[in-house]
Amino acid sequence: DAGVIQSPRHEVTEMGQEVTLRCKPISGHNSLFWYRQTMMRGLELLIYFNNNVPIDDSGMPEDRFSAKMPNASFSTLKIQPSEPRDSAVYFCASSFQLGNQPQHFGDGTRLSIL
Amino acid sequence: DQQVKQNSPSLSVQEGRISILNCDYTNSMFDYFLWYKKYPAEGPTFLISISSIKDKNEDGRFTVFLNKSAKHLSLHIVPSQPGDSAVYFCAEKTGANNLFFGTGTRLTVIP
């Protein structure tokens, strides 16, 4: 069974460049989540989607961050322009929407902005 | 202010002994608490959960206890094994679908 797939696993880029992180959720899951993990703030939710519709984006730090889910099997998180303080590990997770169904996480994208 | 707190950043336990990981919370209006385990360079993996209407849930070597009056929960691992060495996160799920994570406790099980 394929889990949540994220790409790339590592990204190193220069400040000011556009960064696009990708996520393929588990087939059949109808909720998708983007998290960011930093030493200072731990794991924090950026945005989540139910049935491809953004439900809560209050965790998105700035307008430089945007996320899309064009279909049930693909989502992107974009940072434009990127800044050094965006350096973190970004996780995507998916789940069934209802009840106590746990979220299943991908292995993350380690982003370094120089 | 952090909604979910794990006050011990690290814990070392001898193999075969019990590991107890603790978590405190402030929001009483939750549906579930979940525990996740995380190895380096991997995403968090779901371990066990507990509903707000229960005070204990057990799954093999893992048991979670919930004390609502103290707003405290704990994860017990017994017996501890070297493969249990990882970072453990507790997470609160409220009526919405998102999770609030604690900062994690790094468990080291010494062979």
Side-chain angles (χ1 to χ4, degrees):
Chain A
D1 247 359
V4 175
I5 300 172
Q6 291 187 245
S7 64
R9 289 298 312 274
H10 303 274
E11 174 89 11
V12 180
T13 191
E14 291 188 344
M15 182 174 71
Q17 297 296 306
E18 177 179 293
V19 172
T20 300
L21 310 181
R22 296 172 175 81
C23 176
K24 178 178 168 54
I26 292 173
S27 177
H29 283 184
N30 57 354
S31 291
L32 183 139
F33 309 80
W34 282 101
Y35 289 88
R36 178 171 69 175
Q37 185 180 30
T38 60
M39 289 293 292
M40 292 294 294
R41 300 172 68 88
L43 258 170
E44 52 180 346
L45 179 70
L46 300 178
I47 184 171
Y48 80 91
F49 297 81
N50 283 344
N51 298 312
N52 312 341
V53 176
I55 301 300
D56 183 355
D57 65 353
S58 59
M60 297 284 261
E62 300 172 32
D63 291 345
R64 298 183 296 106
F65 286 70
S66 62
K68 293 183 179 178
M69 192 164 186
N71 57 62
S73 58
F74 183 66
S75 176
T76 60
L77 177 67
K78 189 172 291 188
I79 308 173
Q80 165 64 15
S82 58
E83 296 183 4
R85 60 194 168 120
D86 302 331
S87 298
V89 181
Y90 291 80
F91 289 102
C92 176
S94 71
S95 74
F96 294 108
Q97 181 178 349
L98 300 176
N100 69 335
Q101 300 301 313
Q103 295 177 18
H104 297 264
F105 284 75
D107 286 337
T109 295
R110 181 173 293 277
L111 177 64
S112 297
I113 308 297
L114 307 177
Chain B
D1 198 21
Q2 197 107 37
Q3 190 162 328
V4 178
K5 291 183 180 179
Q6 293 177 258
N7 292 318
S8 298
S10 63
L11 174 69
S12 290
V13 171
Q14 207 72 34
E15 180 179 4
R17 296 294 193 92
I18 185 171
S19 295
I20 300 177
L21 300 139
N22 295 304
C23 183
D24 297 301
Y25 61 93
T26 56
N27 180 15
S28 298
M29 303 297 292
F30 68 92
D31 292 334
Y32 294 90
F33 268 97
L34 300 90
W35 284 93
Y36 281 81
K37 179 169 76 172
K38 186 182 180 305
Y39 293 119
E42 293 184 11
T45 303
F46 171 71
L47 200 55
I48 190 171
S49 65
I50 188 164
S51 162
S52 61
I53 61 173
K54 293 190 171 183
D55 54 18
K56 178 182 174 182
N57 189 26
E58 189 172 353
D59 183 3
R61 296 185 298 113
F62 303 91
T63 304
V64 56
F65 295 93
L66 176 62
N67 182 336
K68 287 188 281 292
S69 62
K71 295 187 179 180
H72 177 85
L73 70 158
S74 60
L75 174 68
H76 293 211
I77 307 172
V78 56
S80 302
Q81 300 173 354
D84 296 330
S85 297
V87 178
Y88 289 79
F89 294 93
C90 66
E92 178 186 58
K93 182 178 184 295
T94 62
N97 204 13
N98 50 329
L99 296 177
F100 292 96
F101 282 85
T103 50
T105 297
R106 181 178 301 277
L107 173 66
T108 302
V109 180
I110 304 164

